[in-house]
Amino acid sequence: MNSDMGLTRSAHGNEHEWHVDAPITARLTWDYEPRSPRTLSLIERARAAQWSAKSDVDWSTEVEFGAPLPNDSTFSMSSFESSPFARRGRESWDLYRWEFQSWMISQFLHGEQGALVAAARLVEMLPDLENKQLAVSQVVDEARHVEVFSRYLREKVPEPYPISDSLSTLLGDILSDSRWDVTALGMQIMVEALAMAAFRMANTTFHDDLIRDITRLVARDEARHVSFGVLSLKELYTELTDAERREREEVVLDAAQLMRRRFLLEDIWDRIDVTRSDGMHYALTDPLMIAYRQAIFAKIVSALSQIGLLTERVRDGMSQMNLLGFSANRRVLAAR
């Protein structure tokens, strides 16, 4: 996205610390007149919908990580039978499903920290007070999401995953760009819309009541964040020049490519002793995996359409990545 990206490790060599340098401009305004009733409504909704990661989640719920799981649908079991680990027996399918959950929640956690930083940056960079106030409410939400996912992983998952290479690259791109609208586009339209879709599919993809309850609460917040992105960008993007629009199309297509690669699940294959080439080929070509990617990208497609950025070029690019076609696969996922 941005050729000026500055990405470094900690100066002290701490592998858990990551620095992204970006030239940004803090903007203040002395105009306090309310302008957008819809933005004010979102602010009020955010205030009314706050919840506590400590008291609104039942942490006594047991998570029997790695326990045998019930059979999936016929379609899902067909996916298992064509997988590179089917020859190891039915237990290998349960292992894969638990590792997929662990990997997903780990990436949610890393992405939520990126969203926390991005929202804080928007507080500085947005041009008007109403949107700054809405960004502040998102900062509070994202801090709570980091708290709840990190606790779940610490207490319930034996071996969480580090951030995936593709998500790391995507967050670096988003956070190193000096344009506030690109930060909002990358985080609220691309990352947050995909996360919201994944949270809402938790009942069919995750295997314990605790994480299903957590993702239900988080999905409520993410819906507001996507609406925030749409509100803040919709009018602005009607005024883009052709060159500016093309740059934003590149942002979308680059992000989509990274997110698609992320769901080829490279890290999981290493963990369950499947060669990356075999595992990634399975993830790329298996009908269930394709349907899942199309389902979670459907929210991105909807948000892009609302801000006027689902252009012919973007649609063609996403079609070539096989990320469109959710309507055709809706029944497939419902059967899962």
Side-chain angles (χ1 to χ4, degrees), residues 95-105 161 205-206 263 265 268 289 292 336:
L95 172 63
Y96 162 73
R97 292 160 73 193
W98 278 113
E99 287 298 329
F100 180 77
Q101 175 170 315
S102 173
W103 178 84
M104 283 285 284
I105 304 306
Y161 283 79
T205 52
F206 298 147
F263 281 94
L265 310 180
I268 293 180
M289 298 295 293
Y292 180 76
R336 187 178 187 277

Side-chain angles (χ1 to χ4, degrees), residues 204-325:
T204 58
T205 52
F206 298 147
H207 312 301
D208 64 86
D209 290 338
L210 177 57
I211 196 59
R212 286 193 285 260
D213 285 344
I214 289 170
T215 51
R216 175 182 53 81
L217 289 167
V218 174
R220 234 169 41 190
D221 296 339
E222 300 293 11
R224 290 195 308 274
H225 303 166
V226 176
S227 295
F228 176 21
V230 169
L231 279 178
S232 63
L233 295 175
K234 186 173 183 179
E235 184 175 351
L236 177 69
Y237 279 9
T238 63
E239 302 172 356
L240 293 176
T241 66
D242 289 344
E244 289 170 338
R245 184 171 300 280
R246 188 168 185 83
E247 287 179 342
R248 275 65 178 179
E249 290 172 340
E250 288 289 343
V251 169
V252 168
L253 292 174
D254 287 349
Q257 184 65 54
L258 287 167
M259 295 162 88
R260 173 181 176 271
R261 181 176 179 87
R262 173 181 160 197
F263 281 94
L264 298 185
L265 310 180
E266 297 170 77
D267 304 321
I268 293 180
W269 309 129
D270 291 343
R271 183 76 62 88
I272 65 174
D273 197 27
V274 170
T275 64
R276 283 199 177 196
S277 58
D278 288 347
M280 291 172 70
H281 176 75
Y282 165 72
L284 183 64
T285 59
D286 177 72
L288 179 62
M289 298 295 293
I290 292 171
Y292 180 76
R293 286 193 296 274
Q294 291 177 348
I296 58 177
F297 267 84
K299 288 295 182 183
I300 294 176
V301 171
S302 174
L304 289 172
S305 178
Q306 291 179 71
I307 63 174
L309 208 54
L310 189 62
T311 62
E312 182 177 356
R313 181 167 175 249
V314 167
R315 185 180 288 278
D316 286 349
M318 295 182 73
S319 178
Q320 290 172 22
M321 298 179 217
N322 205 10
L323 298 175
L324 304 180

